Amino acid sequence: MKKIAVLTSGGDSPGMNAAIRAVVRKAIYHNIEVYGVYQGYLGLINDDIHKLELGSVGDTIQRGGTFLYSARCPEFKEKDVRAKGIENLRKRGIEGLVVIGGDGSYRGAQRISEECKDIQTIGIPGTIDNDINGTDFTIGFDTALNTIIDSVDKIRDTASSHARTFIIEVMGRDCGDLALWSGLAVGAETIITPETSYDMKDIAEKIQHGIDRGKKHSIIIVAEGCMTGDSCASELTKYINVDARVSVLGHIQRGGSPTGADRVLASRLGGYAVELLMSGDSAKGVGIKDNKLIATDFNTIFNGSSEVKYTQRMLDLTKELSI
Ligand code: ADP
C-alpha cells in the first residue's frame, strides 16, 4: 500500500475533520501518500483530488464540519459514472479509499470494491444520527447530544419561568438514539422515539399529574423520525389544556466543535481504517463495540436490521427516572 485517498460524503458531522486528520497522519507515519477527494463522490468523478501533507490537517481537529466538504451525488449510483471515479483513483496509483459518512456513502464504497478489485475500501461511520450498524457510536453523535443538552437546559429556564410544557424535536432520521440519550441527560418527562410505542393519552395524564403535583414545567423530547414537534403538540392538546410550545432544534445539531469523546473516537477509527488497508482488508466498515475497535463487512452492515444500541434496562430507567 503506497497511496490512499480519503473523502467525506453524505450529511456532515462534527468529528469528520478529526477522522480525516487521523487517516492522513497515520498513513504518512507509515510512508503512505494520502490524497483528499473534495466534495465526496462528486469530487471523485470530477477529479477534484489533491495530495494532502501533514500540515494539510493542522489546526483541524477542533473544527466542526469537514474541510474536504461533503456533497450528495445521486449519479454515483450509476455504474458508468462510478467508472469515471475509479479511473481517477487508478491513474494516480491509489490502492485504498477511506470513506467517512453514513449508510449511503458505504454503499458507494462497496460498489467501488466490487467493480475494481485493485482498490480496497474502508468506511468510517460519520453521522450525528447513530444509525449505522457495526458500531455502538458514530462520529458526531456525542457532539450533537451535547448541543441538544445545552439547548434544552436553556429552554428549561424559560419553561419554568412561565410554567410551560416544551416539546423539543430532535434529529436522528429514523433512529431515536439522540432523543433517548438526550431525554435521559436532561431529565425529560417524556421521550418519544420511533423504536418504542407511545400512548398520547398516557403522556397527557402524566403531564397533568405533574402539573397537579406543582411541577413548574415539562419537557417532552420527540425524535423527528417519529413525528414532528407540531403534530406532537396538537395531539397532546387534544387531551389536556396546557401551554405547549414547540422548539425544533434543526441544523444546529450538526455543527460545532467536536466533543472530546468524538475527537477520540474519530482518531481511533481513522487510525484503524489505515491499519486495515495496510493489512489488505477491504469492503468493511470500522466501529467501536464495548470499547473495542471492530471491522464489519459492508454486506453484514447492510443486511442486518437496524441495530438497537440501547438496552431494555436503559429504556426502563428512563421511565423510572421520569415519574
Ligand atoms: P449518508 O452517507 O449520510 O447515508 P446519502 O444516503 O445521501 O448519505 O449518501 C451519500 C452519497 O453516497 C450519495 O449522494 C451517493 O453519492 C452515494 N450513494 C448512496 N447510495 C448509493 C448506492 N446505492 N450506490 C452508490 N452510491 C451511493
Side-chain angles (χ1 to χ4, degrees), residues 240-261:
I240 46 169
N241 183 20
V242 284
D243 186 8
R245 298 295 167 103
V246 177
S247 188
V248 182
L249 297 187
H251 280 80
I252 62 161
Q253 294 162 92
R254 289 249 287 259
S257 177
T259 58

Side-chain angles (χ1 to χ4, degrees), residues 3 44 65 81 89 169 190 210-211 226 249 264 302 304 314:
K3 290 183 187 181
L44 194 60
V81 173
L89 293 173
E169 180 190 317
T190 302
I211 293 169
C226 193
L249 297 187
V264 171
F302 302 143
M314 188 168 161

Side-chain angles (χ1 to χ4, degrees), residues 15-32:
M16 279 184 161
N17 280 326
I20 301 165
R21 173 182 178 274
V23 169
V24 171
R25 295 258 164 113
K26 174 116 179 177
I28 293 176
Y29 183 89
H30 291 280
N31 300 314
I32 297 168

Side-chain angles (χ1 to χ4, degrees), residues 9-11 41-42 71-78 82 101-109 111 126-127 173:
S9 164
Y41 293 120
L42 192 63
R72 312 261 183 206
C73 176
E75 39 308 9
F76 203 71
K77 292 181 184 164
E78 291 158 34
R82 283 196 299 274
D103 208 70
S105 304
Y106 279 19
R107 285 179 195 274
R111 292 272 176 271
T127 164
R173 292 207 290 192

Side-chain angles (χ1 to χ4, degrees), residues 171-183:
M171 282 183 158
R173 292 207 290 192
D174 295 329
C175 178
D177 287 15
L178 274 175
L180 185 62
W181 262 255
S182 63

Side-chain angles (χ1 to χ4, degrees), residues 178-216:
L178 274 175
L180 185 62
W181 262 255
S182 63
L184 195 52
V186 301
E189 274 64 31
T190 302
I191 306 166
I192 303 175
T193 70
E195 296 89 358
T196 49
S197 58
Y198 70 92
D199 182 331
M200 198 52 86
K201 192 160 170 275
D202 287 350
I203 293 172
E205 278 169 9
K206 187 174 166 189
I207 297 213
Q208 187 62 55
H209 184 61
I211 293 169
D212 296 345
R213 267 172 41 218
K215 270 200 171 195
K216 287 279 174 287

